[in-house]
Amino acid sequence: MKKTDLQQGRDLLATPVLPLVSMVQFLFLTGPFATVAEVVDELPEPIETGHAVYAHPRRQLGRYLELLRPLEGLKNGAPQPCRVVDAEGAAVDAMTAVSSLVLQQVLAAELEEINSLLCAPCGCTLCCTGPDRDMAQEFFEIPLREQETALFAVQRHESAELARHRAMDEEPVQVEGRPFYALGRSGLFHWQNGWSLILPRQERCPNLESSGRCRVYADRPLVCRRPQIFPYVLEPLKDDGGEGGAQRLRSALLAVVDCPYVGVLRDEIAAYGAACELDVIFRQNKS
Ligand code: SF4
Ligand code: SF4
């Protein structure tokens, strides 16, 4: 894998949208603007920051306008969309909460595109297959939203026992007299924290074609679109519900070094994080 094979994704990494979002947020909240779109329309072009030159900032930001709308709610005194706490568990102020929610969502959308551009040229299927023989893990878990389970033509497992546990519990739930991951085939499981596809050792996702292509690529689950560089501005608090639940402020970016493009582009990912004023955490495996 050469850096030149990853040029499209590198171009996006070199011009992160988050610094532009922070600029727009400041201008909007301190200026006489009724909407965020008005601020974006009045931006000069190009814009140069300490990290990058943005040739078309208005166009770049225009793609995320919908995600910036909570800033208008903040200015108009709308109720805070969710509770955000700091590292000590104390609630942060409304401005920090809304701003971090916006940054998390914009970052997730931008990273979805970056990850897709970087993954495609790698010809790698690591995310779509279970652990190989040399790995310590017995299985990989792909968390799914309920509507996404219809994409997978594999056995579904639902029971009162599964509903009391999670895949990562220390003591594995028994299914058909064996640990749930030892059935010799992949399957859908309905846990306490939602659905997931379990890929046991050396099993492939049922949607992975022998050519290495994903059969449901256009409709692939959310988690498959954000493979190995993750937004970590906020972290959902365990046992505090899903969407709309409380979140902890992390101000970071996670990158999984098992992924070939993360290994090749470590410097670029570190520079992207620095430009976004986020800590970058490189770690071995997302699970
Ligand atoms: S759905 Fe597609 S992208 Fe997701 S794990 Fe399966 S083959 Fe891979
Ligand atoms: S490990 Fe990286 S390159 Fe391989 S499939 Fe996952 S995201 Fe793509």
Side-chain angles (χ1 to χ4, degrees):
M1 173 61 43
K2 297 194 298 287
K3 283 195 180 190
T4 45
D5 298 332
L6 304 168
Q7 196 53 48
Q8 274 187 298
R10 287 173 66 201
D11 288 346
L12 288 193
L13 279 174
T15 51
V17 73
L18 247 53
L20 295 177
V21 170
S22 299
M23 198 179 293
V24 164
Q25 175 179 317
F26 174 77
L27 293 170
F28 173 68
L29 294 176
T30 57
F33 302 99
T35 66
V36 173
E38 286 173 34
V39 182
V40 173
D41 285 345
E42 290 190 20
L43 286 178
E45 291 193 337
I47 288 179
E48 190 169 349
T49 68
H51 291 275
V53 176
Y54 296 88
H56 305 290
R58 295 199 284 265
R59 193 166 71 200
Q60 192 171 345
L61 278 161
R63 305 170 58 197
Y64 303 104
L65 270 186
E66 205 46 47
L67 299 177
L68 301 179
R69 286 208 189 284
L71 295 174
E72 295 170 9
L74 176 66
K75 195 167 186 174
N76 298 329
Q80 208 171 295
C82 82
R83 198 167 75 91
V84 176
V85 300
D86 62 19
E88 281 75 45
V92 301
D93 60 77
M95 163 99 100
T96 308
V98 173
S99 150
S100 54
L101 273 170
V102 166
L103 294 181
Q104 171 86 358
Q105 286 178 2
V106 173
L107 189 63
E110 183 173 66
L111 285 174
E112 179 179 326
E113 187 177 0
I114 291 175
N115 278 307
S116 294
L117 286 171
L118 293 174
C119 176
C122 290
C124 160
T125 56
L126 202 61
C127 292
C128 313
T129 52
D132 66 30
R133 260 194 220 98
D134 305 327
M135 290 177 156
Q137 296 98 322
E138 296 285 355
F139 64 91
F140 284 161
E141 180 183 27
I142 299 182
L144 298 170
R145 294 175 295 173
E146 181 149 15
Q147 65 270 30
E148 293 169 340
T149 59
L151 294 168
F152 299 87
V154 291
Q155 191 175 354
R156 301 167 77 91
H157 301 271
E158 273 190 288
S159 69
E161 181 69 356
L162 285 168
R164 282 195 293 273
H165 295 274
R166 297 174 183 229
M168 295 300 171
D169 282 356
E170 218 161 289
E171 200 55 47
V173 176
Q174 301 288 306
V175 174
E176 299 172 16
R178 284 169 282 181
F180 68 89
Y181 52 76
L183 298 174
R185 56 186 185 270
S186 52
L188 291 165
F189 290 78
H190 197 185
W191 306 102
Q192 188 184 53
N193 54 335
W195 283 93
S196 64
L197 175 71
I198 296 297
L199 295 175
R201 281 179 184 279
Q202 296 183 282
E203 282 294 313
R204 296 159 65 88
C205 169
N207 291 325
L208 184 62
E209 295 178 338
S210 51
S211 63
R213 293 181 63 84
C214 170
R215 192 174 292 122
V216 296
Y217 189 78
D219 302 315
R220 68 198 188 286
L222 203 57
V223 70
C224 301
R225 295 166 191 262
R226 298 176 185 162
Q228 305 295 8
I229 312 176
F230 298 87
Y232 197 45
V233 179
L234 294 172
E235 178 190 31
L237 282 180
K238 277 198 181 120
D239 305 322
D240 206 80
E243 272 172 50
Q247 317 245 8
R248 190 184 302 281
L249 195 57
R250 293 289 184 189
S251 304
L253 190 69
L254 284 180
V256 179
V257 294
D258 314 52
C259 170
Y261 65 71
V262 172
V264 171
L265 299 180
R266 250 184 122 105
D267 292 347
E268 287 82 352
I269 295 167
Y272 177 90
C276 298
E277 297 184 6
L278 298 173
D279 296 331
V280 181
I281 303 167
F282 289 101
R283 74 172 192 209
Q284 199 60 35
N285 185 299
K286 61 182 173 181
S287 60

